[in-house]
Amino acid sequence: MDAQITIVGAGVVGLAIAKRVSRDFRDVFLIEKHPTFGQETSSRNSEVIHAGIYYPAGSLKSRLCVEGKRLLYDYCRENDIPFNNCGKLIVATSVDEIPIIEAIQKTALKNGVEDLSILERDRIAELEPSVFALKAILSPSTGIVDSHSLMKSYETGLLNNGSQIVYGSEVCGIKKIKDGYEITLLDSDKNIFRFTTRVVINSAGLTSDKVSEMAGMEDDKLKISFCKGEYFRLNPPKNRLINRLVYPVPVHNLEGIGIHVTIEMGGGVKLGPDVTYLQSNNYDYKVSPSKQESFYNSARKFLPFLDYNDLSPDMAGIRPKIQKQGDPVMDFYIRDESGRGCPGFINLIGIESPGLTASLSIANYVRNLINI
Ligand SMILES: Cc1cc2nc3c(=O)[nH]c(=O)nc-3n(C[C@H](O)[C@H](O)[C@H](O)COP(=O)(O)OP(=O)(O)OC[C@H]3O[C@@H](n4cnc5c(N)ncnc54)[C@H](O)[C@@H]3O)c2cc1C
């Protein structure tokens, strides 16, 4: 075999996996179709270190988020990655939202998030004088991270461990052979290369379903729907009125967690992301100025100081959803596919939020699935 392990996709998750497995294996290849890392979902997100509050108890999302959060804070401290453990408020703005706040605290406790507290109006006013809320949850362990520095550090780490990265090459074929797989690559000059590998790790984000299909694993349940999230910027000087993340209570099936306030490492403030399932799987990163009205109306419920013209269109990202529109929330799909006739093929599909937070714990989990 040319490689022991081949990882498809240099987003934050593929990079973390490559760094982790290159500690234990030699001949590790990371293949990325773009000229550098993190050109898709990993650089189009809120950069929030999630606490692990909402996910169904026992799910991979919940376990890997709670564990990943601890690992990520430690990693940032040890490797000088900029982060801010700023905390977050989840706010109830009407009486009927108060029981939801209490239910969220119970779910969080089941998930091992034990540091939440419920705040009354006077305490909310002390922490965030410009925010309106009848009651709120304070999550002290939520924070933000500079995701570009994080990915750069993972890249440096995996190269130092002796792995190789092949940028500008798309995996376009995967054939099962004795004891492994033959991978076909297409580079940016349309040259074709083939090599063999014992293990394939599919961390291809928005096209991870397609990469799985290349190895013959068709499955309607794992088809990805592109689900766009747009952001609007809160223009200066009002960005200075907010000190931490502020979220409304989540919508019932967690397609998204409501248009919220995200603060950035540089002091900027964004509102979003909203949730729009795209009709077809296009890389549509346009922000619709016509959405300003609905962002304004949603956010004004807890940001009473907001004027319509305080917002401007900012950016968009796309979630790789295996949860179909209107269906219940789906867990991360992370499996060795021996049961589907593909031993040594590890699929990661539907790695939406909290994939950034959980990148290090996902990497450990995947390492433990490798059996060579
Ligand atoms: C709007 C939005 C907000 C979010 N906010 C947060 C947040 O605040 N906190 C959090 O924890 N998570 C958040 N997430 C989720 C987080 O961004 C993702 O879970 C994470 O970035 C996924 O990383 P990845 O490496 O799996 O995928 P990606 O970043 O999509 O990387 C996959 C890579 O695979 C490459 N690739 C695909 N096919 C091939 C092929 N055939 N050959 C070679 N290369 C290929 C792509 O080019 C890409 O670089 C958010 C996501 C969105 C969309």
Side-chain angles (χ1 to χ4, degrees), residues 8-14 31-34 40-42 44-48 50 169-171 203-205 207 211 231 273 317-319 351-357:
V8 188
V12 70
V13 174
I31 315 289
E32 168 56 53
K33 66 183 173 192
H34 291 297
E40 297 197 353
T41 311
S42 295
R44 294 177 163 276
N45 59 59
S46 305
E47 300 189 297
V48 173
H50 286 297
S169 291
E170 180 165 2
V171 172
S203 185
T207 50
V211 171
Y231 294 85
I318 302 176
R319 306 168 182 90
I351 311 299
E352 51 173 326
S353 194
L356 169 66
T357 308

Side-chain angles (χ1 to χ4, degrees), residues 17-63:
I17 294 170
K19 180 171 179 295
R20 175 65 190 86
V21 300
S22 59
R23 270 169 43 197
D24 297 344
F25 299 95
R26 47 186 180 75
D27 299 328
V28 174
F29 291 177
L30 174 59
I31 315 289
E32 168 56 53
K33 66 183 173 192
H34 291 297
T36 187
F37 61 78
Q39 297 298 290
E40 297 197 353
T41 311
S42 295
S43 51
R44 294 177 163 276
N45 59 59
S46 305
E47 300 189 297
V48 173
I49 304 176
H50 286 297
I53 298 172
Y54 308 106
Y55 312 108
S59 63
L60 279 180
K61 280 185 178 171
S62 152
R63 284 159 43 205

Side-chain angles (χ1 to χ4, degrees), residues 7-11 13-15 17 201-205 208 211 346-348 351:
I7 298 137
V8 188
V13 174
L15 289 161
I17 294 170
I201 299 172
N202 169 16
S203 185
S208 48
V211 171
I346 298 171
N347 259 328
L348 291 94
I351 311 299

Side-chain angles (χ1 to χ4, degrees), residues 85-98:
N85 182 190
C86 53
K88 126 174 163 179
L89 290 181
I90 307 168
V91 295
T93 54
S94 62
V95 177
D96 49 330
E97 287 179 349
I98 291 176

